[in-house]
Amino acid sequence: MLAQRWERRLVTVVAGPGFGKTVLLVAAMARAAVEGTGRDVWLSCEPADESEDHLRVDLCEAVGVPGPRIEAFFDWVWTQAPNPVCVVLDDVHEVPAGSTGAALLEQLVAELPRNGHLLLASRDVVPVATARLATGGQLVRVTEGDLMFDHAELEDFAGARGVDTKLLASSGGWPALAELAASAGADLVPDYLWEEVLAGIGPERARDLARFALAGGGDDEIASAVTGQSMRVEDLLSTVPLVSRTDTGWAVLHPLWRPVLQPLLSDADANAAAARAADVHRRHQRFSMAFDLLAEAEAWDDALGVMGEAATGLALDVGVASGEFGRWCRALPASRRQAPEAQLAAGLELQTRAPRESMTAFEAAAAGYRARDDIEGELVAIAADGLVRWWANDLAGLLGLHERTQVLAATGSPSARVLAAVGLAAMAHLGGDSAGVLSALADIGDDLVVRWLPTVHWFRSVAHRRLGDLPRAYAELDTLARVSGGRSDLQADIARLRSDWLDGRVDHVPGGLQEIREHYLRSGDRFFEMELTLELANRQAWLGDREAAATLLDAVDPTLRDWSVAQVRHMRLATQAAIALGLDDEPGAAALLRDGGVGELTVAEQVFWRDRAVAVLAHVLVPEARSSWTQEPLGPAYLPAAELAEALEASRRGDISVVRALRWPEAGVVRAHLPLPWVVELACAGVAARNPPPHNLLDALGPRLRPALLALTTRATTDVAAAAKRMAAQQPAVPAYRLRIGVIGPLEMHRDADVVAPRDLRRERVRELLCYLVARRRVRREAAAEELWPELDDPGHNLRVNLSHLQKVLQPERPRDEPPYFLRAEGPWLDLRDDLLDVDAWQLDSHLDDADRAERANEPMAALTAYRAAMDLWRGMPYADVPYAGWADIERTRIRTRLTKAATRAGELLLASGATADAQAAAHRAIDAESSWEPAYRLLIRARIAEGDVAGARRALDDCRTALAELGVEPAPETIALAK
């Protein structure tokens, strides 16, 4: 019956303790592992799993994907297609109906991909609706009756144990009692059987066994703790039946033991054993296990202590989910929910989803700890409250917390002293006082209060960056990585990207910001997602991509704009101003800044603008504010900004002497501090002053360079306009269209939507040269000539002639004296530029590279989107116009292989999502590219079976056999198994 889990949506195994549910599951999973029929994912539920948050984390950890979003788990299941995955959940009775954990189980049933299946084992009715599944034939039920031994099974069991079948008569077919009867060696009634087993181990050991059972099992340390003496688990459980063990030394008595053993202990003895076991769990930071034991013993003071310890340990990454704090709070009796530990836990649950509301709980927690003179507890509450207030730029609230922390530090508390320093640094950071940040943290060494070290080094790094000292900023980030023990720290990654930007390494920064933004989008952290969206928009606008920047600005959630008000406002202003500059609207950009109050910025706001390398905007566009920008000395990272701004302003006054004396920074530094239109303007001023910029500065601007040069010819000063005109003449004209070349199938060319069929493209050698350049993209002239005309003594002549014809094909409107745009023929190199050129073979590789990255990141939807885009490019055999060229044959094979595998993989994902028709289309696309590709036939067969088209599946199988027979190959075992 359990074998049907690969074909049905849900299998339930419901029976009381002792019916062998877990043994059955383990046996079924072991068989599947040997037979390779599918993949099982095992999770044994615990009381904490009544919380959706806890269960989500457990599920994600079970398959090794980053939690806690359940969509990440679904995506992982989807990526396993076409292989079936069964989520096996044991002890589901720990997840009560009506709980958020039960709601998550319902979501699993409803939303698992088609290749995903669910097996729930429970002592009680499973907490999910099953009627609809039963009606649709998607439910298999295993009950107590199915698990009972019948007469034949009892005989087999007795034979395996070497006992007489009559000995097991009293078990009534109950597997656990049959095991006990076989172990005891006598035909006993159940009650007497338990007594006989316990009598055999002696009363003292029986009580120790009861204490161990009460603790929920454990290892040698737990056994020693509950028995009060040095004890090995193996010694304690020797000759005791119905015990499960793990390879790590953890042992658990079967639940049947507990009601028999519990009467052996007084309430006081039982509670003492639970407390000792909980103490071991606390030391090992197994806080959930500790809390549950203490709650069962109603030891609420100790349970609250566990909650407090777990909250304190959050900074040490102890792995307590926010929902777990909520579960603990709900488990407390009403009389204990006002305790400071409970208030702190309630705040920590709210912090991730409603941060403003969490501050009230943190205040109540701090007050409760203060009333009992618990300094360490109050500090934890203050730190949690301070983090939220820091997010909100609540300086007044932070100051109040800091004053209280100083009072506590005066008592001699080392933790208070460190927290006071961190709080002072946080306020200095918000106030733009970077020297104050470093001063506040000057006495904090790596030997003090470990949990604050990453925060300390982050503050120091940002302070050094804001002071313009990038080497020290990087050094602090390197130290942060070391003290974090290799754990990922996204805020540190963002800080490094900001330093990289100031350091002139600008091109990789937008991609890095986008990756982190996508992480926050997946995790649901709306505050940090908003921050990254704004910063990414600014960087895109700064580099000249105003369309992308405008799209990102529109994506910002307006309901979050009241957080970090100044930061949000200024980043939006800088981005909008950069977009206006790209539209050649300097007056509009200046008006935006003035309306935003840029002329009256505080020191803190000025520091922020300088730190984001956008201070030049205000310096140039708001002249009345210039003096305020020079009040503080500039560090090395910001000196180029001041020098570039001064040179730009002087050139606009007609004074190019400043530009003539300018020592140009590296190209990336210029691009970091000046928006693209001003980069071009200053470059032209440098050419006019005979002090041209670095040679690679203008090359980095791509197709945006020439339009910016032409714009300057009508609005710049005379010298700069003349230089812009000369430089524009040296740049190839940017075509008013996109050129598309197709080589996957017969060669074709489009200019925007129009088909290009010029006479010169009919020349065979011109077509071959174009295809060759598409395949190589950049190649030396002599290499191309020798590859295409190896039989000639002077292949270079043929190359020159055919290059001339090809340039006419690519740009028929180009004047003879103007450099070509698409095909650059500079010096010894031939280079196809991709700025306004789309080639289907290049796009296919790009789409499939995106799919590979998405697969590695466990993002099947993104992978499928990329696969489908690649499949849409297939029109027939690649490089069909050059069927006999050796270089083309290599490329043909490469493209066909990639496309075939991609189409098959896309079909597997489509089939797992239930899109059977699309899955068949993908299979046909793969077969069209490679007629003997067996996995594509298997995909087609499975898709037709899923639609109930058995005859169609048989036809696909026959086609597969025919294609393989032409190669003299037999079908693979997987195909044969599918046929059966």
Side-chain angles (χ1 to χ4, degrees):
M1 296 176 75
L2 262 59
Q4 296 183 60
R5 68 189 184 280
W6 308 118
E7 304 164 11
R8 302 290 186 265
R9 186 60 159 186
L10 176 63
V11 176
T12 63
V13 181
V14 179
F19 280 86
K21 296 185 298 297
T22 302
V23 173
L24 174 67
L25 301 184
V26 171
M29 291 171 62
R31 175 177 295 181
V34 172
E35 297 177 350
T37 50
R39 178 166 182 174
D40 288 300
V41 176
W42 170 279
L43 180 63
S44 183
C45 296
E46 56 188 10
D49 287 323
E50 77 167 70
S51 161
E52 176 190 4
D53 289 342
H54 194 280
L55 185 53
R56 273 193 283 109
V57 170
D58 283 351
L59 284 167
C60 289
E61 288 181 351
V63 297
V65 299
R69 294 175 65 250
I70 194 61
E71 288 77 13
F73 180 79
F74 291 153
D75 285 347
W76 178 87
V77 174
W78 195 10
T79 59
Q80 303 306 298
N83 299 319
V85 174
C86 185
V87 184
V88 181
L89 297 179
D90 197 10
D91 295 333
V92 174
H93 50 269
E94 299 285 9
V95 184
S99 66
T100 58
L104 183 60
L105 294 181
E106 290 275 14
Q107 188 179 0
L108 287 176
V109 173
E111 298 182 18
L112 272 173
R114 284 277 292 272
N115 65 312
H117 309 270
L118 196 60
L119 194 162
L120 304 180
S122 174
R123 298 180 193 173
D124 306 315
V125 176
V126 295
V128 298
T130 59
R132 180 179 56 82
L133 294 172
T135 302
Q138 288 297 311
L139 175 67
V140 175
R141 288 191 177 97
V142 179
T143 65
E144 289 184 354
D146 299 311
L147 296 174
M148 286 284 196
F149 285 158
D150 58 24
H151 182 72
E153 289 168 335
L154 272 178
E155 286 185 342
D156 291 341
F157 182 83
R161 296 297 188 274
V163 299
D164 191 322
T165 306
K166 295 178 181 179
L167 193 66
L168 310 181
S170 64
S171 70
W174 192 359
L177 288 185
E179 177 67 46
L180 281 173
S183 301
D187 184 10
L188 305 169
V189 296
D191 289 343
Y192 183 60
L193 175 63
W194 292 110
E195 295 170 5
E196 188 72 13
V197 172
L198 293 178
I201 65 174
E204 188 53 43
R205 187 175 161 205
R207 282 191 291 272
D208 285 342
L209 199 64
R211 298 181 183 103
F212 188 75
L214 180 79
D219 53 11
D220 291 347
E221 188 177 6
I222 293 288
S224 299
V226 298
T227 61
Q229 58 184 311
S230 178
M231 177 68 71
R232 293 175 63 246
V233 168
E234 282 304 312
D235 295 336
L236 177 62
L237 301 181
S238 174
T239 73
V240 175
L242 296 181
V243 176
S244 60
R245 294 174 173 83
T246 69
D247 294 337
T248 60
W250 199 270
V252 179
L253 286 162
H254 193 280
L256 280 172
W257 275 110
R258 187 157 184 174
V260 179
L261 294 170
Q262 196 164 4
L264 301 180
L265 302 176
S266 66
D267 289 346
D269 194 355
N271 291 342
R276 290 194 294 269
D279 189 55
V280 174
H281 290 310
R282 286 172 78 167
R283 289 200 302 272
H284 291 282
Q285 297 182 348
R286 298 189 291 258
F287 293 118
S288 289
M289 299 175 77
F291 180 87
D292 290 337
L293 281 171
L294 295 169
E296 185 174 357
E298 298 186 352
W300 298 119
D301 289 341
D302 290 335
L304 288 168
V306 167
M307 295 171 71
E309 284 183 29
T312 304
L314 274 183
L316 296 176
D317 193 24
V318 299
V320 179
S322 61
E324 189 74 337
F325 288 107
R327 182 180 76 86
W328 293 344
C329 286
R330 291 188 295 273
L332 292 173
S335 60
R336 302 298 184 117
R337 292 180 185 174
Q338 300 306 311
E341 294 89 351
Q343 292 287 347
L344 178 60
L348 289 170
E349 184 191 22
L350 287 168
Q351 191 179 54
T352 60
R353 57 184 177 84
R356 284 198 182 277
E357 297 176 24
S358 70
M359 290 189 286
T360 300
F362 291 141
E363 289 174 348
Y369 282 122
R370 183 163 58 251
R372 67 164 73 149
D373 293 327
D374 185 341
I375 292 177
E376 294 301 315
E378 185 178 356
L379 289 172
V380 172
I382 287 174
D385 193 7
L387 178 62
V388 180
R389 294 184 187 279
W390 188 65
W391 289 348
N393 271 15
D394 182 4
L395 273 171
L398 284 173
L399 181 60
L401 294 176
H402 177 66
E403 290 173 349
R404 177 58 187 169
T405 307
Q406 285 183 308
V407 172
L408 297 176
T411 66
S413 165
S415 298
R417 183 166 69 86
V418 173
L419 185 56
V422 170
L424 195 60
M427 289 187 291
H429 172 93
L430 292 180
D433 181 7
S434 298
V437 171
L438 297 175
S439 175
L441 302 175
D443 296 330
I444 305 300
D446 286 0
D447 58 332
L448 289 175
V449 194
V450 175
R451 69 174 179 271
W452 287 109
L453 289 182
T455 303
V456 167
H457 290 293
W458 183 87
F459 272 127
R460 286 173 175 165
S461 174
V462 175
H464 286 306
R465 186 183 76 226
R466 288 181 166 185
L467 291 171
D469 189 346
L470 294 182
R472 295 182 74 177
Y474 282 123
E476 290 291 343
L477 290 175
D478 293 339
T479 304
L480 188 159
R482 188 180 70 252
V483 301
S484 297
R487 293 195 302 273
S488 175
D489 190 322
L490 293 180
Q491 290 303 305
D493 293 341
I494 296 169
R496 192 174 292 275
L497 288 171
R498 289 170 180 163
S499 292
D500 287 349
W501 182 271
L502 290 171
D503 203 29
R505 290 175 282 169
V506 299
D507 288 313
H508 80 285
V509 170
L513 292 173
Q514 178 62 23
E515 286 184 14
I516 299 174
R517 174 178 179 257
E518 288 173 355
H519 169 85
Y520 285 129
L521 279 169
R522 290 192 299 270
S523 67
D525 193 324
R526 297 167 64 212
F527 170 73
F528 284 117
E529 181 266 320
M530 173 196 65
E531 181 184 36
L532 267 292
T533 300
L534 285 172
E535 187 156 359
L536 178 58
N538 178 264
R539 296 319 185 200
Q540 297 284 31
W542 208 252
L543 296 176
D545 192 349
R546 58 179 184 272
E547 293 84 2
T551 299
L552 286 164
L553 280 183
D554 290 341
V556 175
D557 187 342
T559 63
L560 294 176
R561 291 176 188 167
D562 60 334
W563 282 87
S564 299
V565 175
Q567 178 177 330
V568 171
R569 184 175 74 251
H570 299 329
M571 191 57 79
R572 288 179 64 84
L573 280 175
T575 305
Q576 291 167 335
I579 291 173
L581 291 179
L583 295 170
D584 202 21
D585 182 14
E586 279 202 8
L592 280 167
L593 298 182
R594 287 192 173 95
D595 292 345
V598 170
E600 301 175 355
L601 293 180
T602 66
V603 172
E605 292 168 336
Q606 290 176 10
V607 169
F608 174 82
W609 277 59
R610 188 170 66 236
D611 183 42
R612 293 301 193 272
V614 294
V616 169
L617 275 181
H619 200 285
V620 173
L621 295 177
V622 190
E624 64 270 22
R626 288 175 188 168
S627 60
S628 65
W629 291 96
T630 57
Q631 290 176 356
E632 296 183 34
L634 297 178
Y638 305 115
L639 286 174
E643 294 167 355
L644 294 169
E646 182 181 355
L648 180 64
E649 292 159 5
S651 72
R652 290 184 167 191
R653 297 193 303 268
D655 178 7
I656 61 173
S657 63
V658 180
V659 183
R660 185 178 296 120
L662 177 67
R663 294 185 61 181
W664 284 96
E666 293 181 0
V669 174
V670 178
R671 295 171 65 206
H673 288 289
L674 295 179
L676 184 140
W678 292 355
V679 171
V680 177
E681 183 177 352
L682 190 59
C684 292
V687 170
R690 298 185 179 180
N691 180 22
H695 70 279
N696 58 340
L697 175 59
L698 298 181
D699 289 343
L701 305 185
R704 297 188 177 96
L705 172 59
R706 196 169 192 269
L709 288 169
L710 293 175
L712 283 172
T713 60
T714 59
R715 66 171 173 79
T717 60
T718 302
D719 290 341
V720 172
K725 187 174 182 178
R726 293 195 304 274
M727 294 167 65
Q730 297 169 5
Q731 297 292 319
V734 180
Y737 54 85
R738 291 194 72 86
L739 191 65
R740 293 189 292 117
I741 298 174
V743 296
I744 303 177
L747 179 65
E748 66 175 24
M749 189 181 300
H750 290 80
R751 188 174 291 118
D752 284 339
D754 299 327
V755 177
V756 177
R759 181 186 59 186
D760 287 327
L761 193 56
R762 298 172 187 165
R763 297 170 181 262
E764 179 182 349
R765 286 301 193 177
V766 172
R767 294 199 306 273
E768 184 174 2
L769 175 59
L770 177 57
C771 289
Y772 179 77
L773 291 172
V774 164
R776 295 292 186 265
R777 300 187 70 155
R778 190 169 192 266
V779 65
R780 294 184 69 88
R781 287 175 180 266
E782 62 268 24
E786 291 173 4
E787 180 73 60
L788 298 176
W789 294 278
E791 73 282 0
L792 299 181
D793 293 333
D794 182 18
H797 170 74
N798 282 44
L799 177 64
R800 289 189 295 274
V801 171
N802 284 282
L803 270 177
S804 177
H805 291 307
L806 181 56
Q807 293 288 17
K808 292 177 183 177
V809 171
L810 297 176
Q811 280 184 278
E813 79 285 358
R814 179 178 62 90
R816 295 178 63 88
D817 59 347
E818 191 172 277
Y821 188 85
F822 295 112
L823 176 55
R824 309 294 173 90
E826 300 170 352
W829 292 97
L830 300 176
D831 188 4
L832 268 181
R833 303 294 292 268
D834 60 0
D835 299 331
L836 291 173
L837 175 61
D838 298 323
V839 177
D840 56 1
W842 300 355
Q843 291 174 323
L844 182 137
D845 283 330
S846 177
H847 290 317
L848 296 187
D849 289 345
D850 289 343
D852 289 343
R853 284 190 290 270
E855 293 274 21
R856 290 194 297 272
N858 193 49
E859 297 174 351
M861 181 57 74
L864 181 57
T865 299
Y867 286 134
R868 300 183 88 159
M871 288 192 297
D872 288 343
L873 296 171
W874 182 262
R875 295 181 295 109
M877 197 57 60
Y879 297 102
D881 286 64
V882 281
Y884 305 115
W887 63 264
D889 194 47
I890 295 172
E891 276 298 292
R892 234 185 325 270
T893 301
R894 186 187 68 81
I895 291 173
R896 288 171 58 198
T897 300
R898 289 201 80 183
L899 190 281
T900 300
K901 292 181 178 179
T904 305
R905 177 60 177 153
E908 292 169 350
L909 292 173
L910 288 163
L911 184 58
S913 68
T916 54
D918 289 343
Q920 292 183 61
H924 283 300
R925 180 56 48 87
I927 293 168
D928 187 32
E930 179 52 74
S931 61
S932 59
W933 182 242
E934 195 172 355
Y937 287 104
R938 288 199 293 268
L939 169 64
L940 185 57
I941 293 167
R942 287 196 302 270
R944 288 179 175 173
I945 290 173
E947 288 189 337
D949 183 7
V950 179
R954 289 199 183 104
R955 288 194 300 273
L957 180 60
D958 292 341
D959 291 342
C960 177
R961 285 175 170 150
T962 300
L964 294 176
E966 292 176 359
L967 301 177
V969 176
E970 292 293 326
E974 299 97 308
T975 306
I976 295 172
L978 192 58
K980 291 180 180 178

